Amino acid sequence: MGIKNKAASLIEEFKAFAFKGNIVDMAIGIIIGAAFGKIVNSFVSDVVMPTVTAIIAKCGGQNAGEGIKTLVYTTSEGIAIPYGTFIGEVLNFLIVAFAVFLLMKKFLGFMQNMRKKKEAEAAAAAAAPAAPPAPSAEEKLLTEIRDLLKNK
């Protein structure tokens, strides 16, 4: 399959996705994700990083009072590498990734349970033989006549 065919296939899949109503769900997810990102950023900046800073200060770290995000390594040529900011962003990512993992695990577990429930109901309906229909009034009358003739 050529690159053009793959690209065309990808575009067709996107069109099918975007125009069948999922785009609204995706937009809602993006908005909620952005808000969640702000909450996580605040949590890391205001709770986690000061805690890590306090731990580093107790262990005798230099410049710990300034906060871990201000940690910078300066090379002999004078180039500054702000690795504290990197540590903060890694913590942001790990918290978001863990929250998404838990959300998806619970969501997929819920979906799997629903699927199993539907399959069990379908299997039970297929396994149980259908009850025969109730006899009609004519059949009841014929049964009575048969029974009366047997008794004679």
Side-chain angles (χ1 to χ4, degrees):
M1 182 179 245
I3 292 176
K4 287 183 180 180
N5 290 339
K6 286 182 182 179
S9 173
L10 183 65
I11 291 170
E12 291 301 318
E13 287 180 29
F14 177 74
K15 283 180 184 178
F17 166 77
F19 295 116
K20 70 177 184 180
N22 289 344
I23 197 76
V24 173
D25 296 337
M26 186 175 69
I28 291 169
I30 289 170
I31 292 168
I32 290 173
F36 182 71
K38 289 180 182 181
I39 292 169
V40 169
N41 194 23
S42 174
F43 175 72
V44 170
S45 297
D46 301 333
V47 177
V48 174
M49 295 309 273
T51 305
V52 171
T53 301
I55 292 170
I56 290 173
K58 283 204 180 248
C59 295
Q62 295 178 338
N63 299 328
E66 299 173 6
I68 197 165
K69 282 195 171 185
T70 61
L71 294 176
V72 176
Y73 172 76
T74 306
T75 63
S76 59
E77 291 84 27
I79 299 172
I81 302 172
Y83 66 92
T85 304
F86 175 74
I87 292 171
E89 294 305 320
V90 168
L91 287 172
N92 277 348
F93 169 77
L94 291 175
I95 291 170
V96 170
F98 184 69
V100 169
F101 167 75
L102 289 178
L103 177 71
M104 292 308 297
K105 183 165 178 64
K106 291 296 180 182
F107 176 73
L108 292 177
F110 173 74
M111 294 302 291
Q112 191 174 26
N113 287 341
M114 292 296 292
R115 188 179 310 126
K116 284 181 182 178
K117 191 175 185 181
K118 284 182 182 178
E119 289 174 358
E121 288 173 358
S136 66
E138 183 180 331
E139 289 174 340
K140 287 180 185 177
L141 181 62
L142 287 173
T143 303
E144 287 179 27
I145 293 172
R146 181 195 66 199
D147 291 342
L148 287 173
L149 289 173
K150 273 187 184 178
N151 291 336
K152 273 190 170 182

